[in-house]
Amino acid sequence: MREVLCHEAALRRYVLRAWPNASDVPDICHDVYVRVYESASGTLPQSPRAFLFTTARHLMIDRARRSRIVSIELIEDLDALNVLVDPLTPERRLTARQQLQHLSTAMNGLPQQCREVVWLQRVEGLSQQEIGSRLDIAVATVQKHALKGIRRLAELFYGGEGAAAGDQNRNVTNESAHGK
């Protein structure tokens, strides 16, 4: 609870930006907390903040899939408004630029082939088979590089320097345990 509830304001802002109906935000946040609590009752997540926001994103995707049937009146109301719903404020623009710069630095810090795999998968939307064919590597290698790249990016964005150092220590421990 201590590691999750401290992110409540950020979670509410995130859901409010991502979900079209502001009146659903409290319900969505509640459902996110229920899912996080149920999942954490088994094992605690290594990065609670990342887990919280990933859970929120998945919950909103699930809700959107379930509500694919859209009322015709709702569409007519939205068309009649003809206004910008979410204006881009200078603060949001600055934050977006900072996040983009942080992502660029993080991507440049990945090994070359790992960076290529992550780029092809996440930006260009290629399947693992297509990436393997394009880079002339096995699908298992594509999976390995994708997992490694996403983990490193997640550590940089959500885990901070301590998590990255902890991962390096964990790798050293694993290598010594396996006789490497």
Side-chain angles (χ1 to χ4, degrees):
M1 287 179 63
R2 180 179 65 245
E3 295 180 28
V4 171
L5 291 180
C6 64
H7 302 294
E8 182 173 9
L11 175 66
R12 286 188 179 278
R13 285 191 305 270
Y14 172 71
V15 173
L16 191 58
R17 277 193 319 263
W19 194 254
N21 188 353
S23 65
D24 291 340
V25 170
D27 291 337
I28 291 172
C29 290
H30 176 268
D31 291 347
V32 168
Y33 290 136
V34 169
R35 282 190 181 185
V36 167
Y37 176 77
E38 288 173 349
S39 178
S41 66
T43 59
L44 294 177
Q46 287 185 344
S47 179
R49 179 181 169 88
F51 183 68
L52 178 69
F53 284 91
T54 301
T55 302
R57 183 171 54 92
H58 289 159
L59 181 89
M60 288 187 286
I61 290 170
D62 290 347
R63 280 186 172 224
R65 283 183 186 146
R66 278 187 264 135
S67 66
R68 281 190 176 167
I69 301 172
V70 179
S71 166
I72 292 174
E73 293 89 24
L74 176 62
I75 293 174
E76 289 173 356
D77 291 344
L78 290 176
D79 288 339
L81 290 176
N82 199 18
V83 295
L84 289 175
V85 176
D86 192 14
L88 190 58
T89 64
E91 294 84 12
R92 287 189 62 203
R93 184 171 291 168
L94 176 63
T95 300
R97 283 187 181 163
Q98 289 171 341
Q99 289 175 340
L100 187 58
Q101 185 174 8
H102 188 66
L103 177 61
S104 176
T105 302
M107 285 289 288
N108 288 335
L110 294 176
Q112 176 65 31
Q113 197 166 40
C114 186
R115 179 175 53 241
E116 288 178 16
V117 168
V118 171
W119 181 267
L120 292 172
Q121 188 177 48
R122 298 297 176 157
V123 176
E124 295 188 20
L126 298 181
S127 70
Q128 292 179 350
Q129 291 79 15
E130 292 170 325
I131 295 169
S133 296
R134 184 179 284 190
L135 299 179
D136 197 29
I137 57 176
V139 173
T141 306
V142 171
Q143 292 171 341
K144 180 187 80 166
H145 285 303
L147 183 61
K148 179 180 177 182
I150 296 302
R151 279 187 179 159
R152 284 192 179 180
L153 292 174
E155 286 172 357
L156 288 170
F157 274 90
Y158 302 112
E161 295 174 290
D167 189 45
Q168 290 172 350
N169 292 339
R170 200 168 35 250
N171 287 342
V172 169
T173 304
N174 288 343
E175 288 174 2
S176 63
H178 291 83
K180 293 181 182 177

